Amino acid sequence: DYNFHARFPTMKLLARRFEKDGGGDVDIVPEDNEDLWHLYNLIDTGDCVKCRSLRKVTLESTTGSTNSIKKMIMVQVRVKTVDFDIQAGELRISGQNEKESENIKMGAFHTIEIQLNHKMNLEKSCWDAVHLDRLEEAIEIAGKADVAAVVLQEGLAHICLITPNMTIVKQKIELTIPRKRKNGASNHDKSLERFYDQILTALQRIIRWDVVKAMILASPGFLKDELFKYIIKEAPLRGFKEIMDNRAKFVCCHVSSGFKHSLQEVFADKALVAKLSDTKALGETKLLEDFYEMLSNDPDRALYGPDLCVQAAEKDAIDVLMITDSQFRAQDLAVRKKHVALVERVKETNGEVKLFSSLHTSGEQLQKLTGVAAILRFPCPEIGEDSD
């Protein structure tokens, strides 16, 4: 189960032994799921990971009988695959062992499940600019302002946790609400009350109020307002003191549906900007809005697609480059190097680079635009013409 830690933990960097664009290693301790997500984006095929891990080993008794047990051993694997399960909060790294011991042979395949609060070592043959940015973000404490949201419509609610790099649906609540009839309003109202009650119970169980900065209730019509009234009325009767103590954190917003993608509308709500001005998700949404506005009003100053963005960067034309983190998980090393070179070129010419999380709705939206887009300093109509 996803766990919101008290306060704002950051990944501990114990030691760093490398230079930019050179090989080397780091000793780190991941402390929460956000750190696992950073590691998922840091670890590439061909890297070397060293840490303690469980492995099934066979023990032989003096009588010759054998018994298999799981034992914690030190392993050093050359990475073949990296998998992250966002809901379970599990990061698995598979590869071949490079250090023989009595419990594991040289070259044996092994899968490590990275443990929170345990030291690990990550070695790369090359630490490029994007690796360094990701590492710095992982160990930076500022900006970890977390948000929770209930996006609902009649009979459907999604309870989400929004961290700097993830939007996680913690619970989906579905309940059939009978239509409101002239003589049967009571059935409708009772079902709606049951629906609100399930949401309130889920909030009490899921939300860590010492971490959450804002609690968003979003729906079409007046449903959000009715839910808020229900929460304020019922929470004290149920002894949910924390909810009452944090009632000022609730914000009601209008959206068109109760589905997760409606969060994009939430972050476009100007009433929310002041409360959430330092959250990464909001910043990404605002940038994407600016991009679409530029595409509509001044199309020669907005473009998307890796090749077009490279052309614009060569002309020193990029003011803001937007790129999803999934672009750097490309299996093809040449593709990754192309994206890294683009990022470095934009930074060298004093442009801004914004790395969008593919686990936010804004990142999903950018991914539909190839995952790479740019707002230009000046019009470059010839770039689009060249690509036709």
Side-chain angles (χ1 to χ4, degrees), residues 191-203:
S191 296
L192 211 49
E193 196 164 302
R194 206 157 57 243
F195 177 54
Y196 292 154
D197 182 67
Q198 287 185 23
I199 295 172
L200 174 59
T201 303
L203 291 182

Side-chain angles (χ1 to χ4, degrees), residues 13-14 56 71-72 88 96 98 166 230 268 331 350 372:
L13 179 65
L14 304 179
K56 191 182 281 187
K71 187 177 179 182
M72 189 67 78
Q96 285 180 283
E98 291 202 326
M166 306 182 205
Y230 180 86
Q331 291 299 309
N350 297 316
V372 188

Side-chain angles (χ1 to χ4, degrees), residues 67-303:
N67 182 34
S68 291
I69 62 162
K70 281 193 172 181
K71 187 177 179 182
M72 189 67 78
I73 63 169
M74 184 61 76
V75 292
Q76 183 174 313
V77 302
R78 184 66 58 182
V79 178
K80 296 283 185 188
T81 61
V82 187
D83 295 299
F84 182 55
D85 184 333
I86 178 176
Q87 293 297 339
E90 292 173 355
L91 178 66
R92 293 189 183 90
I93 297 162
S94 297
Q96 285 180 283
N97 180 51
E98 291 202 326
K99 195 169 184 180
E100 187 156 0
S101 73
E102 61 175 321
N103 296 306
I104 184 167
K105 291 180 181 177
M106 178 73 83
F109 278 91
H110 181 75
T111 298
I112 298 169
E113 186 175 318
I114 297 296
Q115 303 289 316
L116 294 180
N117 303 306
H118 284 69
K119 178 183 166 184
M120 62 172 285
N121 177 270
L122 170 62
E123 184 181 348
K124 290 178 171 291
S125 58
C126 175
W127 289 84
D128 63 36
V130 174
H131 290 136
L132 298 188
D133 286 347
R134 175 64 72 172
L135 187 62
E136 288 305 319
E137 186 183 345
I139 60 176
E140 174 58 55
I141 198 162
K144 278 205 170 187
D146 294 299
V147 179
V150 180
V151 191
L152 70 150
Q153 62 190 47
E154 258 196 22
L156 175 68
H158 289 87
I159 299 173
C160 306
L161 297 179
I162 304 152
T163 75
N165 291 286
M166 306 182 205
T167 300
I168 304 153
V169 177
K170 276 299 296 171
Q171 191 170 334
K172 181 182 179 182
I173 295 170
E174 286 184 287
L175 193 69
T176 303
I177 312 285
R179 285 186 180 180
K180 204 168 191 173
R181 302 183 189 281
K182 283 182 181 177
N183 301 320
S186 62
N187 283 341
H188 173 271
D189 294 345
K190 281 177 186 172
S191 296
L192 211 49
E193 196 164 302
R194 206 157 57 243
F195 177 54
Y196 292 154
D197 182 67
Q198 287 185 23
I199 295 172
L200 174 59
T201 303
L203 291 182
Q204 172 65 12
R205 181 176 54 82
I206 292 167
I207 305 302
R208 289 288 300 271
W209 294 101
D210 55 347
V211 174
V212 166
K213 185 182 181 185
M215 179 70 241
I216 298 163
L217 305 179
S219 76
F222 296 105
L223 215 58
K224 60 191 180 303
D225 308 291
E226 295 301 319
L227 171 61
F228 182 60
K229 285 178 192 171
Y230 180 86
I231 290 170
I232 297 307
K233 177 171 74 79
E234 286 294 319
L237 301 177
R238 302 267 292 275
F240 296 164
K241 185 178 182 296
E242 267 200 308
I243 290 180
M244 291 309 295
D245 290 346
N246 289 276
R247 60 187 292 176
K249 292 181 180 179
F250 282 83
V251 186
C252 293
C253 302
H254 175 82
V255 291
S256 55
S257 80
F259 291 94
K260 179 192 163 188
H261 62 74
S262 292
L263 280 171
Q264 198 65 18
E265 298 170 47
V266 169
F267 289 125
D269 189 321
K270 288 182 173 59
L272 215 53
V273 172
K275 229 178 209 317
L276 308 180
S277 58
D278 59 347
T279 65
K280 186 177 176 185
L282 181 72
E284 290 177 0
T285 302
K286 178 72 173 69
L287 259 182
L288 214 49
E289 277 178 32
D290 292 347
F291 173 77
Y292 281 123
E293 198 174 315
M294 188 71 78
L295 200 59
S296 175
N297 300 332
D298 194 356
D300 290 339
R301 283 188 57 207
L303 47 84

